[in-house]
Amino acid sequence: MDEGTRKAMEWPPPSTSPSLVVRSPRQTVSLIRNRRPHRDWNPSSRSPSFAAREHGPKPSEVYGFVGSITTVIATAVYLAWAYTPEPVLRSLGITYYPSKYWALAVPSFVIVAVALSMAIYMGLNFVATPPPTSFSSIFGETEFPSCFK
């Protein structure tokens, strides 16, 4: 192809305000190449631009980060208290701390509570489910047992 035919077949160059309709992959590539780079930081003031300040971190991300750091610190303190002998704690000046009994009691209580809550949840689901011979399981009409009314 000669130069004139090739220019006639190409799309016109993108304008200063690109349209929202992209007609071909070639136009998409040219729009990507010709757009201005976006900078989040103003190099002269070393402060975030207006867009970066407006769209700061999401609260859920901040809470998740703080929660994960708190969990790690609490676990480290718990393990240090549980495994450090009492004479070492006293030599460090730590005299007021819970009994070592609670280092085993609290995790045991939590595990039992979780296991019981799962068993109770499954039991309530079994009570609320109609028997396999019931027409309610075929037609979708559920009758709650008398203990839930």
Side-chain angles (χ1 to χ4, degrees):
M1 270 195 278
D2 64 335
E3 189 69 29
T5 309
R6 190 169 38 150
K7 283 189 177 182
M9 291 179 61
E10 288 182 6
W11 291 99
S15 63
T16 56
S17 61
S19 68
L20 298 175
V21 179
V22 177
R23 288 166 273 204
S24 71
R26 181 180 292 170
Q27 187 182 17
T28 304
V29 171
S30 67
L31 286 174
I32 291 172
R33 282 187 194 151
N34 294 333
R35 73 177 179 187
R36 290 180 294 181
H38 175 72
R39 289 188 290 173
D40 285 338
W41 295 94
N42 184 357
S44 61
S45 65
R46 294 286 184 209
S47 66
S49 66
F50 177 76
R53 282 192 305 257
E54 182 180 336
H55 302 291
K58 296 178 183 175
S60 61
E61 292 174 356
V62 173
Y63 294 149
F65 176 74
V66 171
S68 65
I69 297 296
T70 304
T71 302
V72 168
I73 291 173
T75 303
V77 168
Y78 169 77
L79 291 174
W81 162 70
Y83 287 111
T84 305
E86 291 186 18
V88 174
L89 290 175
R90 276 191 238 111
S91 69
L92 292 173
I94 302 172
T95 57
Y96 186 73
Y97 51 85
S99 170
K100 299 286 182 170
Y101 163 80
W102 295 107
L104 291 176
V106 170
S108 300
F109 291 154
V110 169
I111 290 172
V112 169
V114 168
L116 284 176
S117 64
M118 289 171 53
I120 289 171
Y121 181 73
M122 289 180 1
L124 289 175
N125 281 331
F126 281 129
V127 169
T129 304
T133 57
S134 171
F135 284 112
S136 297
S137 62
I138 298 173
F139 297 111
E141 299 171 6
T142 307
E143 294 180 19
F144 288 105
S146 60
C147 64
F148 289 117
K149 291 182 180 181

